[in-house]
Amino acid sequence: SNSEHKIYDCIIIGGGQAGMSVGYFFRRTKLTHLILDEQDTTGGAWLKTWDSLKLFSPATYSSLSGWQMPNTDEEYPTKNEFIKYITAYKKRYNFPVNYSTTVQQVVKENNFYKVTTNKGDFYSKTLVSATGTAKNPFIPTYLKADIFKGEQIHSVDYKNASNLKDKNVIVVGGGNSGAQILAEVSKVAKTKWVTLKKPKFLPKEIDGRYLFKQATESYVNNDTKSYTEKVSLSDIVQIKSVQEALKRGVFKDYRPFTSFYEDGVIWEDNTKEPVDVIIWCTGFRANLKHLSTLQITQNSKINTTGTKATDINGLWLVGYGNWTGFASATIYGVGKTAKQTVKEIVSHIANV
Ligand code: FAD
């Protein structure tokens, strides 16, 4: 019998900004809940990103639910400023987080979930998965990538350019990560920038505030299509280092090479180019490994209506990407989906 275990109303897997946002809306309920996070401190994926990272969202639009991010010296906060803020957020609301706790597997037993971790088993009536994407970096498939003798790193493992002096480096990816990393690496290395299509830089006068305001308004007006034609949250924001690199002319973009060879890449016109390092700034997929035993994952996604899983009862997914709600993988966007999630869990528990 399970009567000897404490059974939580909800366990939240992952204590990054998505898990914290869910925690925020649980405070006003009577439901027992617990957040499990495998890291030993607050900050989620932000803890591991490169040293010089600047957010592309200004402080106002880098705020978690209920407490505005304090203004920063420069318009775009540094990653350390954000980590400081989310750490203070955790303290302020005293969320129940068990750190250093890795969820290894989840099984459904009758009407509750058994959550197996390195710190033992936990039981709950409902589950929120908020494990982000950082542990599932995506690298596109290229011919003969396995015979390339140079170094390949994903942006998730990039820290700074200190080991790249005078090397031949190709940065792949036309988003904010690619642009920020290229801006830095091009100061010490010989770089080329490979993107699928012509990258879009937001005009300098369109700052992050305008971008997020546009995104939110078109969402509220149910008009996300016309918004994406004008500006998009994936366009490159001209933070200072990007402006400076634009002036140096390093943002010449090339369409992808067709294959690797031992010492480099082969371009479409068959010319070979020696390369020492490839930096893949090619994004992420949802990290859902801990849910694999539930057998409801397809192509790194789980079918949902809003955030609620449709193929199993009592599971919600928060963060990850637009498939769990518009802009839910942004700091500003996740709050709305977290609020709705907790509302649904409250009524779910009331009805079981
Ligand atoms: P995470 O921050 O990844 O948190 C998930 C947590 O779950 C982690 O602590 C992880 O250790 C833990 N976890 C994972 N698996 C397990 C497990 N099995 N058991 C226990 N714990 C587990 N958004 C903006 O709004 N503005 C920006 O400027 C911005 N810049 C970005 C820059 C970069 C380079 C990247 C990659 C993203 C950026 N984003 C930005 C997008 C987004 O805000 C971040 O990716 C954010 O970290 C996502 O938060 P999350 O809580 O969903 O996931």
Side-chain angles (χ1 to χ4, degrees):
S1 126
N2 295 293
S3 54
E4 61 267 25
H5 306 294
K6 176 175 172 74
I7 300 180
Y8 289 91
D9 290 317
C10 185
I11 285 178
I12 299 139
I13 308 172
Q17 67 197 35
M20 294 278 173
S21 301
V22 173
Y24 175 81
F25 291 103
F26 262 122
R27 287 167 50 250
R28 303 197 185 126
T29 72
K30 294 203 166 73
L31 302 191
T32 54
H33 60 284
L34 178 66
I35 302 173
L36 305 176
D37 193 288
E38 72 179 340
Q39 307 198 77
D40 51 18
T41 178
T42 308
W46 298 102
L47 297 169
K48 305 246 165 94
T49 50
W50 65 90
D51 303 341
S52 68
L53 180 140
K54 288 275 179 74
L55 272 64
F56 57 75
S57 48
T60 346
Y61 286 99
S62 302
S63 293
L64 297 159
S65 300
W67 186 37
Q68 180 100 28
M69 181 176 186
N71 271 325
T72 45
D73 296 342
E74 288 186 22
E75 180 180 5
Y76 298 101
T78 64
K79 76 161 187 178
N80 289 332
E81 283 168 330
F82 185 76
I83 291 168
K84 205 173 144 199
Y85 162 65
I86 193 172
T87 303
Y89 187 78
K90 155 77 170 62
K91 280 219 182 87
R92 181 183 174 110
Y93 297 112
N94 196 22
F95 300 118
V97 187
N98 284 14
Y99 288 103
S100 311
T101 306
T102 305
V103 174
Q104 293 151 340
Q105 178 182 291
V106 164
V107 290
K108 190 146 196 225
E109 293 183 348
N110 304 317
N111 284 326
F112 55 88
Y113 287 96
K114 178 180 165 189
V115 178
T116 301
T117 80
N118 60 327
K119 299 277 170 78
D121 294 340
F122 296 84
Y123 297 83
S124 67
K125 293 177 189 161
T126 65
L127 269 190
V128 172
S129 187
T131 47
T133 58
K135 279 171 59 191
N136 196 6
F138 172 74
I139 296 182
T141 312
Y142 277 87
L143 276 176
K144 301 197 172 159
D146 53 322
I147 67 162
F148 176 56
K149 287 191 297 201
E151 195 188 339
Q152 299 187 56
I153 62 168
H154 188 275
S155 62
V156 76
D157 296 313
Y158 174 81
K159 293 295 169 217
N160 56 58
S162 63
N163 294 325
L164 299 174
K165 199 169 180 307
D166 299 327
K167 296 209 165 145
N168 290 314
V169 180
I170 290 185
V171 175
V172 185
N176 280 293
S177 300
Q180 286 193 25
I181 290 173
L182 182 78
E184 179 165 275
V185 173
S186 60
K187 285 183 174 172
V188 300
K190 272 187 278 166
T191 54
K192 264 196 179 161
W193 192 27
V194 167
T195 64
L196 280 178
K197 50 186 185 20
K198 194 110 202 116
K200 272 181 76 184
F201 288 84
L202 279 176
K204 216 159 100 183
E205 65 278 7
I206 297 190
D207 68 8
R209 251 175 288 263
Y210 176 85
L211 174 66
F212 276 81
K213 195 161 165 280
Q214 280 286 107
T216 310
E217 275 171 10
S218 42
Y219 173 76
V220 170
N221 299 329
N222 205 2
D223 182 25
T224 43
K225 208 171 202 160
S226 83
Y227 140 75
T228 45
E229 282 159 14
K230 281 177 256 157
V231 292
S232 154
L233 285 173
S234 57
D235 290 352
I236 298 164
V237 174
Q238 293 196 40
I239 63 163
K240 272 190 184 158
S241 67
V242 169
Q243 284 178 29
E244 182 274 332
L246 274 166
K247 284 188 200 130
R248 272 190 287 125
V250 298
F251 281 121
K252 187 167 164 29
D253 53 293
Y254 297 83
R255 297 296 78 78
F257 41 86
T258 54
S259 165
F260 281 94
Y261 71 103
E262 284 186 0
D263 300 314
V265 300
I266 305 175
W267 298 99
E268 203 141 6
D269 64 2
N270 275 325
T271 55
K272 290 182 169 181
E273 176 154 354
V275 179
D276 301 308
V277 183
I278 307 268
I279 306 178
W280 298 103
C281 303
T282 40
F284 300 87
R285 299 289 183 262
N287 157 31
L288 300 169
K289 262 173 263 151
H290 55 291
L291 300 178
S292 61
T293 37
L294 300 177
Q295 298 192 316
I296 51 169
T297 308
Q298 283 169 349
N299 303 321
S300 301
K301 283 183 191 159
I302 285 174
N303 290 328
T304 53
T305 305
T307 58
K308 190 178 194 308
T310 46
D311 298 332
I312 197 166
N313 211 7
L315 171 69
W316 282 259
L317 296 114
V318 178
Y320 298 115
N322 284 330
W323 59 277
T324 67
F326 177 67
S328 64
T330 65
I331 304 160
Y332 191 71
V334 74
K336 201 177 306 171
T337 66
K339 184 176 183 180
Q340 177 64 21
T341 298
V342 172
K343 207 171 139 190
E344 288 174 16
I345 294 174
V346 168
S347 78
H348 177 93
I349 296 280
N351 291 316
V352 285

